[in-house]
Amino acid sequence: MKAGWKYKKLREVANVTAGQGAPQGDDKYCDNGTPFIKAGNLEDLVNGLSEESVLKVSEEVAKSHKLKLYPIGSVLFAKSGMSCMKGWVHTIKRDCYVVSHIAIITPFNIDSTFLNYYFRHIKTYSLVKDAAYPTISLKDIENLLIPVPSLTEQRSIVSRLDAAFAKIDALKANAEKQLCEARQLFQSELAECMRPKEGWEEKRLGEVCTIARGGSPRPIKNYITNEPNGLNWIKIGDTDMGGKYIYSTKEKIKPEGLKKSRWVEEDEFLLSNSMSFGRPYILKTSGCIHDGWLVLRDYQYYLNIDFFYYVLSSEYIQKQFRTKAQGSTVSNLNTDRVASVSISVPPLSEQQSIVSRLDALSANIKKLGEVQRKTLAECDALKQAMLREVFE
């Protein structure tokens, strides 16, 4: 331990408690009341959103639900549910009501920001005893031994960390801004490349490819298999997130499941009709697809495969998908609606030229994304190194 520092149980320097149950029903919340912080709000609050952005309750609702108001400077982190495995720590900047899934540490003999930094150092999820049932007991929080220097030194440490973290956050923000601007530039170039020009043909998607829907055998759990003769079962979770391909699957189904599904082949397109609605993927495997997918095939006479991907990804086409799904559930974006989407088709030679331009831009964005991820990782590592230097 550093000279002049003492270990104290948290309950010696702060009150430890949990919030109350959330009022149920939209009618219990209002625009001009006091913020009611839920576990799901912590990530946004940690990332800079104000408490004013969360749902609010009136004094009348707070009184009827026996809610307790927690003072500015209280330190919050999730104590139950999957949120408590994230390690988010937030110090409230105004008095708030708080949900029961959150632990509230209200300092009375320690600087609240110093305490916030300490919890970020130890990672609050380290207090979870069983990750399968994530929870942190208030008793364990109360008995947590923390190193406590003098109040003057605490404030000096906070000042130093605040200044350093602000510079690190500025680096992260700059990296994120550069990537965002590059992506916006790509979208502008994509829109320009897809703008119809002389010699292009106006078609419907149904005229340049065939479109079919997948199918799901029921109940699907009866068809999942580990047998060697199992067929690939292609799901949304198998997509190359952030990319454009599906390379492999996590699950297989029994061959008899094919009768109630649909077989797809490499280099055919899958169009998501559920979670990542309207997003296209190019298959680099074969298998069966469930009814959350539409398959687009037989396009080769009219379309270069990479050009087709860029077309389907363009805002012009995506907007048509959204428009045709309005006023209905996502699953109602059926084959007929997709077939009716309009598309401008240039000659194949011009398609390849467009692909070359967009591929070059895309490659630069990918490199910039890798640099950004490296920058963010290095910034986070630097923060942790600074915290270790202070607290260890």
Side-chain angles (χ1 to χ4, degrees):
M1 184 189 300
K2 297 182 179 180
W5 290 41
K6 297 179 180 179
Y7 274 115
K8 295 184 178 181
K9 290 185 177 181
L10 185 58
R11 66 169 181 257
E12 297 179 68
V13 294
N15 291 318
V16 179
T17 188
Q20 292 79 50
Q24 300 300 306
D26 292 343
D27 60 321
K28 298 296 190 296
Y29 298 92
C30 60
D31 294 329
N32 301 313
T34 300
F36 186 93
I37 298 176
K38 300 181 181 181
N41 300 132
L42 288 176
E43 181 178 14
D44 288 336
L45 294 172
V46 166
N47 288 327
L49 284 186
S50 165
E51 283 94 0
E52 297 302 322
S53 66
V54 309
L55 293 173
K56 302 176 180 68
V57 295
S58 65
E59 288 187 23
E60 184 178 35
V61 169
K63 184 176 181 180
S64 65
H65 286 74
K66 299 180 180 180
L67 301 181
K68 181 180 177 181
L69 196 62
Y70 296 96
I72 182 173
S74 295
V75 181
L76 314 182
F77 59 84
K79 72 173 188 66
S80 60
M82 292 310 298
S83 291
C84 75
M85 298 301 295
K86 302 297 184 180
W88 296 318
V89 182
H90 176 67
T91 302
I92 54 177
K93 298 176 178 61
R94 60 159 292 177
D95 296 351
C96 295
Y97 298 113
V98 181
V99 77
S100 56
H101 297 294
I102 293 177
I104 304 110
I105 294 87
T106 305
F108 57 76
N109 197 24
I110 192 171
D111 184 274
S112 63
T113 308
F114 177 86
L115 194 56
N116 181 302
Y117 278 126
Y118 181 71
F119 281 127
R120 290 160 70 179
H121 163 63
I122 65 167
K123 302 291 186 185
T124 53
Y125 52 73
S126 66
L127 303 174
V128 174
K129 293 181 177 178
D130 183 354
Y133 303 95
T135 185
I136 306 171
S137 77
L138 291 181
K139 184 176 180 180
D140 286 345
I141 299 172
E142 288 178 334
N143 291 328
L144 182 66
L145 287 174
I146 60 172
V148 182
S150 68
L151 193 56
T152 300
E153 189 171 357
Q154 290 176 41
R155 290 169 178 166
S156 175
I157 289 170
V158 166
S159 179
R160 187 167 74 251
L161 289 176
D162 279 350
F165 278 35
K167 291 179 180 178
I168 294 171
D169 287 338
L171 287 174
K172 293 174 66 174
N174 185 57
E176 291 168 348
K177 180 182 177 183
Q178 288 181 348
L179 182 59
C180 180
E181 290 175 347
R183 285 172 173 162
Q184 290 174 349
L185 176 63
F186 177 83
Q187 289 300 320
S188 296
E189 185 66 16
L190 176 61
E192 175 58 28
C193 285
M194 296 302 155
R195 185 174 57 82
K197 301 171 182 64
E198 185 178 352
W200 291 31
E201 292 185 80
E202 286 297 316
K203 300 278 188 180
R204 299 289 178 184
L205 267 180
E207 297 179 84
V208 299
C209 67
T210 58
I211 304 165
R213 191 180 191 124
S216 297
R218 300 285 196 273
I220 186 60
K221 65 180 181 180
N222 291 346
Y223 289 86
I224 299 297
T225 181
N226 293 320
E227 295 299 321
N229 66 339
L231 307 175
N232 286 334
W233 179 235
I234 302 170
K235 302 192 299 183
I236 295 293
D238 297 319
T239 56
D240 175 22
M241 299 309 292
K244 64 180 183 180
Y245 299 109
I246 299 176
Y247 292 103
S248 61
T249 65
K250 298 181 180 70
E251 292 183 337
K252 295 182 180 294
I253 62 171
K254 298 174 183 178
E256 53 264 37
L258 178 58
K259 296 178 181 179
K260 298 182 180 180
S261 181
R262 185 175 297 276
W263 186 258
V264 290
E265 297 280 358
E266 185 173 352
D267 287 343
E268 293 182 333
F269 281 79
L270 290 187
L271 194 68
S272 169
N273 205 15
S274 52
M275 290 175 60
S276 50
F277 170 66
R279 183 168 181 170
Y281 295 91
I282 301 174
L283 281 166
K284 290 301 176 185
T285 186
S286 58
C288 299
I289 57 171
H290 63 69
D291 51 13
W293 289 115
L294 298 178
V295 57
L296 282 59
R297 53 181 31 148
D298 304 325
Y299 58 86
Q300 291 86 349
Y301 179 81
Y302 288 100
L303 296 163
N304 170 289
I305 184 172
D306 295 305
F307 179 81
F308 196 19
Y309 174 78
Y310 284 128
V311 168
L312 293 173
S313 302
S314 68
E315 178 57 24
Y316 176 68
I317 297 295
Q318 291 292 311
K319 184 177 180 180
Q320 290 188 71
F321 288 156
R322 293 193 297 269
T323 299
K324 291 179 182 297
Q326 280 182 354
S328 63
T329 61
V330 171
S331 61
N332 282 336
L333 185 60
N334 56 29
T335 55
D336 290 339
R337 293 187 182 199
V338 173
S340 69
V341 167
S342 63
I343 177 176
S344 297
V345 183
L348 283 168
S349 59
E350 189 173 349
Q351 291 180 34
Q352 184 56 57
S353 176
I354 291 170
V355 167
S356 296
R357 288 172 59 190
L358 293 175
D359 278 353
L361 275 176
S362 182
N364 288 334
I365 290 174
K366 185 175 181 179
K367 289 180 182 177
L368 194 57
E370 291 170 353
V371 170
Q372 186 228 28
R373 285 189 290 274
K374 182 179 179 182
T375 298
L376 296 185
E378 289 175 346
C379 285
D380 290 340
L382 180 56
K383 284 184 176 181
Q384 288 304 311
M386 296 184 70
L387 292 173
R388 284 196 300 272
E389 183 180 357
V390 168
F391 293 110
E392 293 182 1

